[in-house]
Amino acid sequence: MTIRDVISADGTSIVYRVSGPPDARPLVLLHGWAESLTCWGTGVVDELSTRYRVIAADLRGHGYSGAPESGYDDPENWAADIAAILDAESAIDGAVLLGWSYGGLVICDYLAEHGTSEVDGIILVSAINGIGPGKAGGTTGPAMRAAMPAVFDESPGTAVRAFAAFGDANIGSGEGKGVDAQRLFGASLSTPPRVRKALFVRTTDHDDMLRTLDVPALLMHGTADTVVDIAASEHAAALIPDVHTSYWDGAKHGLFIEDPGKFVAEVSEFIDTLA
């Protein structure tokens, strides 16, 4: 496992972690809002790394990546971050981009700006593909709506209570997920409040790009997701020409935590069908 960083177009440092065989198909993992590259858990990354060259990134403003004062409302910045990673990893050919939650929007930002010349497929997990009032691809669930605007607050008590109100929305029900819950909770609190807020201060959709997407896409979403409503994935599924859907009955937002084995199996099955 190797930690690397690259400088994006606006000078922001983007940190990412690489694991797996150097000659395997690249799989780029992009986490969600107020999270980090640690969100996936070691088990999922280790398992995927036996078959693919896994590149897990910290989005700008998150984890160890740089956190500029502005620019979070500009899709070109997000697109440039992904382009910088792909360019830095010169051996990349036929990458698969996998985005969870807000990470799905970042994938769409990249594809709208740079196209699919370096990408063989995309996987959107409980993801948004648009954002802002009236954008069907950005439909949030009741847990997310209830948490705002308190999750943007600089007061520790206010922010802690707001994030705690998510309950098991990110991990699903079942025993033995306490460590995962604390990892996600810690990453959320360590994301600067100004960044948490800035990610929501934009309005865009990628409907035109999705209608003409020329690589296969897998959309995974839980039917009981209270953070990103399943309607966001259904919206994308209705637009993408070559789409595969997996709607998990009763599952919540963090599918890779709720059932890691099923998650790895479905991701691998999709990737292995690509040319």
Side-chain angles (χ1 to χ4, degrees):
M1 184 180 299
T2 305
I3 302 293
R4 297 174 181 166
D5 74 300
V6 67
I7 303 302
S8 191
D10 68 342
T12 299
S13 173
I14 304 299
V15 173
Y16 59 98
R17 183 178 63 193
V18 181
S19 56
D23 58 346
R25 182 189 290 277
L27 172 61
V28 181
L29 305 182
L30 304 175
H31 64 78
W33 169 83
E35 280 303 327
S36 76
L37 62 77
T38 66
C39 75
W40 312 101
T42 55
V44 165
V45 172
D46 287 350
E47 185 65 26
L48 289 171
S49 295
T50 65
R51 306 185 64 181
Y52 312 110
R53 185 180 180 207
V54 177
I55 301 167
D58 275 336
L59 298 181
R60 61 173 50 223
H62 299 72
Y64 286 102
S65 287
E69 291 297 321
S70 61
Y72 299 96
D73 59 341
D74 188 347
E76 292 187 8
N77 285 334
W78 297 102
D81 296 348
I82 308 310
I85 294 172
L86 296 179
D87 289 346
E89 296 300 306
S90 57
I92 281 183
D93 183 35
V96 175
L97 305 181
L98 186 156
W100 174 48
S101 200
Y102 203 96
L105 181 62
V106 175
I107 288 175
C108 292
D109 290 334
Y110 169 78
L111 294 174
E113 184 71 20
H114 296 279
T116 59
S117 62
E118 296 189 67
V119 176
D120 277 357
I122 66 169
I123 303 173
L124 305 181
V125 181
S126 312
I128 58 173
N129 49 84
I131 194 169
K135 300 301 182 182
T139 308
T140 55
M144 189 72 247
R145 295 195 298 271
M148 296 189 293
V151 286
F152 307 145
D153 206 290
E154 294 185 4
S155 164
T158 301
V160 166
R161 287 190 295 272
F163 277 113
F166 275 89
D168 67 355
N170 281 324
I171 60 171
S173 58
E175 299 296 327
K177 295 188 173 67
V179 172
D180 294 309
Q182 291 187 51
R183 183 178 67 253
L184 297 181
F185 192 60
S188 294
L189 289 173
S190 65
T191 304
R194 62 178 178 82
V195 174
R196 297 180 217 150
K197 182 176 182 179
L199 266 65
F200 282 90
V201 186
R202 63 165 167 151
T203 299
T204 189
D205 68 48
H206 291 293
D207 290 4
D208 290 342
M209 182 277 294
L210 293 174
R211 288 190 184 96
T212 59
L213 186 65
D214 58 0
V215 296
L218 170 63
L219 308 185
M220 306 169 68
H221 214 121
T223 63
D225 192 341
T226 59
V227 179
V228 174
D229 195 281
I230 195 171
S233 284
E234 293 172 337
H235 174 74
L239 299 174
I240 299 173
D242 187 356
V243 66
H244 309 259
T245 59
S246 177
Y247 298 143
W248 293 22
D249 188 38
K252 297 189 176 180
H253 193 51
L255 302 184
F256 49 91
I257 293 174
E258 191 151 354
D259 192 335
K262 180 178 179 180
F263 178 80
V264 169
E266 291 193 359
V267 167
S268 300
E269 180 180 0
F270 171 74
I271 293 176
D272 292 348
T273 66
L274 301 176

